[in-house]
Structures are given as structure tokens and as C-alpha cells.
């Protein structure tokens, strides 16, 4: 992971939306002000609480997004054993750099068949 940085408003907005899509209340989670970028910020994945603080305890929700270059992106929001947001993981199908950061209106719940 890279050096910690301040969380951006667009990240907070997306996380809060994903928490809601996962059937939970955003106010139930206190988001840290500092995060770590994964993969040198290429795909957009961020870590809220390092694994050494609390281990992975499951996914809250998984959504899909089509980047501005038309490449599909899967975004997974996870929590740790302390019921805190662990990370928001982006996986872009072709592993290229994220072109446009997703907004809530552009993501859809992901299931085994793709989008709902």
C-alpha cells in the first residue's frame, strides 16, 4: 500500500451509496478520514482499515459500473470483524486505469448473471 491520504468526497459519496445498496444505514459506519490506495491508485481501490487492525469479515455489496472507456468495472465494498468498512475494491476487466470515477447513478447491483 502507498502512503495514507485524505479520503475524497467522491469516495465518501460512493461508499455511503454502496452501504445503502447493501441494505445497511450509512450512519452506522464511521468512515476514517485517511485511506490507502491499492495498486498505486490505478483502478481506484482504497483501504479504510488495514488488515492488521481487523480481519476481513465479508462483503457488504458488489456493484458493476461501465467506465467511460466502456470497460466493465466490479466494485466490492467489504467490512472487517469490528463491523467497520475495510475496503472498496475496484476490479476493471482489462486491468487498465480507471478513467472516470463512478457516481451513485452509474452503478448497479451485481449478481451471478451480471447486473440487476
Amino acid at each position: 500500500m502507498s502512503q495514507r491520504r485524505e479520503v475524497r468526497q467522491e469516495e465518501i459519496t460512493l461508499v455511503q451509496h454502496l452501504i445503502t445498496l447493501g441494505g445497511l444505514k450509512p450512519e452506522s459506519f464511521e468512515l476514517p478520514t485517511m485511506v490507502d490506495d491499492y495498486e498505486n491508485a490505478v483502478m481506484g481501490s482504497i483501504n479504510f482499515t488495514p488488515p492488521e487492525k481487523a480481519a476481513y469479515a465479508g462483503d457488504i455489496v458488489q456493484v458493476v459500473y461501465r467506465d467511460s472507456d466502456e470497460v466493465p468495472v466490479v466494485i466490492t465494498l467489504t467490512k472487517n470483524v469490528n463491523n467497520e468498512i475495510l475496503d472498496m475494491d475496484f476490479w476493471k476487466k482489462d486491468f487498465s486505469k480507471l478513467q472516470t470515477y463512478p457516481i451513485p447513478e452509474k452503478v448497479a447491483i451485481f449478481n451471478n448473471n451480471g447486473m440487476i
Side-chain angles (χ1 to χ4, degrees):
M1 281 187 259
S2 61
Q3 186 173 354
R4 291 188 68 77
R5 63 162 175 82
E6 285 189 37
V7 65
R8 296 181 195 109
Q9 184 56 52
E10 64 188 355
E11 294 165 332
I12 292 169
T13 300
L14 184 58
V15 167
Q16 290 173 335
H17 181 67
L18 297 181
I19 291 169
T20 301
L21 288 178
L24 302 171
K25 295 182 180 192
E27 56 273 9
S28 300
F29 296 91
E30 183 177 334
L31 296 179
T33 58
M34 302 297 284
V35 296
D36 288 301
D37 289 308
Y38 287 125
E39 305 105 16
N40 296 316
V42 171
M43 281 196 239
S45 299
I46 56 173
N47 174 270
F48 287 93
T49 57
E52 62 271 10
K53 179 179 176 192
Y56 169 81
D59 295 350
I60 294 174
V61 69
Q62 194 169 65
V63 299
V64 290
Y65 162 72
R66 189 164 298 278
D67 203 354
S68 57
D69 60 4
E70 296 301 314
V71 177
V73 180
V74 175
I75 306 167
T76 306
L77 187 67
T78 66
K79 64 181 179 176
N80 65 28
V81 294
N82 294 328
N83 203 40
E84 302 166 316
I85 300 299
L86 177 61
D87 60 20
M88 182 168 56
D89 187 42
F90 288 60
W91 180 79
K92 193 166 176 180
K93 186 175 181 180
D94 68 355
F95 299 99
S96 66
K97 183 172 178 55
L98 189 67
Q99 301 294 308
T100 305
Y101 200 82
I103 58 173
E105 298 78 21
K106 298 282 186 172
V107 300
I109 298 283
F110 182 83
N111 69 14
N112 293 334
N113 298 319
M115 297 168 56
I116 293 180

